[in-house]
Amino acid sequence: MTTGLVILGATGSIGTQTFDVARQLDLPVLAMAARSGSEQLYRLAGSWPEARVAIAHPTDDEQERFTASYGSRVGFGPEAVLELAAIDRSTVMNGIVGSVGLSASVTALEAGNRLGLANKESLVAGGPVVLAAQMKTGAEIIPVDSEHSAIFQCLRGERIEDVRRLILTASGGPFRGRAIEDLAQVEPEDALAHPTWVMGRRISVDSATLVNKGLEVIEAHFLFGVPFDKIDVVVHPQSIVHSLVEFVDGSSKAHVGEPDMRVPIQYAITFPERAVGSLSPFSLAGKELSFFEPDRATFPALDLAYEAGRTGSSAPAVFNAADEIAVEAFLNGRLPFLGIVDLIERTLSKIPTVELSTVQDVLAIDAEARAMATQLLSGAC
Ligand code: MG
């Protein structure tokens, strides 16, 4: 196993659960990073006195406070975050939200570190670049997203050419079963009330629109090297089946358990081994599992994501960047819920597709897409 963990996005949902797993496994946390110097990060830094700390965008006050308390083990700025991702022989858990996580993923892989990938934007926006970095050093990418961890585990011992379909399950989000006209007036609080998973704000809105599932389809394509026509989505409200793989002989394997992110987080750390986890024994008895086709008319984001994925090159990066802007605007009350997908679609139609070969290329297209989405947004409001 690893010498220790580097937890990027330490105060987010994945980050805090990774600390739980570190305690469970009695593993050292070598380093932690967050966007800002929040009280939560301050306390985490205090509880892990050996760990290095990086704050990507601290205020002057935060910088002073952290330096006064923790001295030289704290670094500041995005470069300080990347330094942590390169710590020798560590397992880097990338729980950064958004496309800013890409550089960290590439840095970890180039340093030959195992990457526990919870930042789906890394592969969605920068798939070709991330895979090229991985090829250089042969470093491992172990998915942390529950669906991809499920598929990764179902594929163990199998040949990828024997796969007929990858089937990602989707909870359907808080608006499953609703008609499109009911969705015009929904508020951020409604979208943030996810039925089964405890998650961050952006991903909660993304599951309400099914954008999240669309991003996961694209992520699965890059992670497992499977074409889009062999990747399917099925709605499964209970989130007990975390995803499935169907094989050419008609067999299917499913990964089943309580919806708890500590399971895929722990597996990404212990793979190829397993270790005793903190969950109580699981029982299927008394559970009702149901499955439905996704409502592609009410939630058009799913098909739009397939389309961006098939277009390839920079289209998925544009899809993702426009969504980040749209979700932010929705949460701030500047865009109605149904405007999210609309803004993504209009941004995609405005930006020509280009090839991506470096992180810089990805960041440039990401910035261009954000600027375009922001411009379209101000025109629309
Ligand atoms: Mg997921």
Side-chain angles (χ1 to χ4, degrees):
M1 222 194 280
T2 173
T3 55
L5 302 177
V6 173
I7 305 178
L8 308 180
T11 54
S13 170
I14 295 292
T16 49
Q17 295 181 84
T18 305
F19 283 103
D20 293 344
V21 172
R23 284 185 205 97
Q24 171 72 22
L25 298 177
D26 199 17
L27 258 185
V29 173
L30 304 175
M32 63 183 83
R35 163 178 288 270
S36 70
S38 63
E39 181 59 32
Q40 192 188 352
L41 186 71
Y42 185 84
R43 273 187 270 118
L44 281 168
S47 338
W48 298 85
E50 307 293 317
R52 291 171 65 185
V53 180
I55 307 174
H57 302 286
T59 63
D60 290 347
D61 286 353
E62 288 167 357
Q63 202 159 328
E64 219 167 279
R65 183 184 187 210
F66 274 79
T67 305
S69 301
Y70 304 130
S72 62
R73 71 183 171 101
V74 190
F76 304 100
E79 288 305 313
V81 178
L82 298 185
E83 268 177 42
L84 302 186
I87 291 177
D88 200 27
R89 287 179 301 134
S90 61
T91 290
V92 177
M93 295 298 291
N94 186 353
I96 292 173
V97 177
S99 45
V100 292
L102 169 68
S103 305
S105 288
V106 169
T107 302
L109 293 169
E110 283 179 342
N113 287 331
R114 173 180 293 188
L115 175 63
L117 190 59
N119 171 261
K120 57 179 62 111
E121 294 83 357
S122 291
L123 279 172
V124 169
V129 177
V130 171
L131 296 183
Q134 181 192 23
M135 290 276 270
K136 255 192 258 175
T137 58
E140 297 162 303
I141 302 177
I142 315 289
V144 170
D145 213 348
S146 62
E147 295 79 359
H148 303 81
S149 175
I151 291 171
F152 183 83
Q153 295 185 49
C154 291
L155 285 174
R156 281 199 68 193
E158 306 287 353
R159 300 185 311 171
I160 201 76
E161 55 270 34
D162 292 337
V163 170
R164 182 181 284 157
R165 276 191 308 163
L166 307 180
I167 304 163
L168 281 82
T169 50
S171 70
F175 305 143
R176 182 181 60 84
R178 301 270 280 269
I180 197 158
E181 50 275 17
D182 297 342
L183 298 182
Q185 304 299 334
V186 297
E187 299 288 329
E189 308 84 85
D190 308 321
L192 291 173
H194 195 275
T196 44
W197 293 97
V198 179
M199 305 184 296
R201 286 162 66 83
R202 181 192 172 199
I203 191 172
S204 296
V205 177
D206 282 347
S207 17
T209 53
L210 290 198
V211 162
N212 182 54
K213 208 49 54 178
L215 296 174
E216 289 181 355
V217 166
I218 298 171
E219 188 185 10
H221 163 77
F222 284 114
L223 211 40
F224 305 114
V226 168
F228 285 96
D229 54 7
K230 290 184 166 187
I231 306 174
D232 257 351
V233 172
V234 66
V235 173
H236 168 47
Q238 297 84 6
S239 302
I240 295 293
V241 177
H242 301 141
S243 277
L244 310 91
V245 178
E246 183 185 352
F247 297 93
V248 288
D249 63 354
S251 302
S252 291
K253 283 160 90 173
H255 182 280
V256 175
E258 290 297 343
D260 190 312
M261 287 307 294
R262 288 171 297 179
V263 176
I265 289 169
Q266 177 169 316
Y267 189 73
I269 296 167
T270 63
F271 168 83
E273 288 157 28
R274 295 187 186 270
V276 175
S278 55
L279 271 68
S280 351
F282 172 74
S283 170
L284 269 174
K287 291 204 167 58
E288 303 253 358
L289 305 185
S290 47
F291 300 89
F292 309 93
E293 288 297 332
D295 180 351
R296 290 169 184 268
T298 306
F299 301 99
L302 188 58
D303 284 340
L304 193 59
Y306 271 91
E307 201 182 311
R310 288 191 169 104
T311 303
S313 305
S314 59
V318 172
F319 179 99
N320 174 66
D323 176 65
E324 283 190 37
I325 297 295
V327 168
E328 197 55 45
F330 168 66
L331 290 173
N332 295 332
R334 295 178 56 219
L335 188 68
F337 182 75
L338 294 175
I340 296 174
V341 178
D342 188 52
L343 186 66
I344 301 172
E345 190 164 20
R346 288 193 296 143
T347 308
L348 275 166
S349 72
K350 294 271 187 195
I351 298 195
T353 307
V354 294
E355 290 301 317
L356 304 174
S357 34
T358 63
V359 171
Q360 294 320 314
D361 293 344
V362 183
L363 297 180
I365 198 79
D366 180 77
E368 189 186 344
R370 280 162 196 277
M372 176 60 73
T374 307
Q375 201 183 321
L376 290 168
L377 189 63
S378 54
C381 292

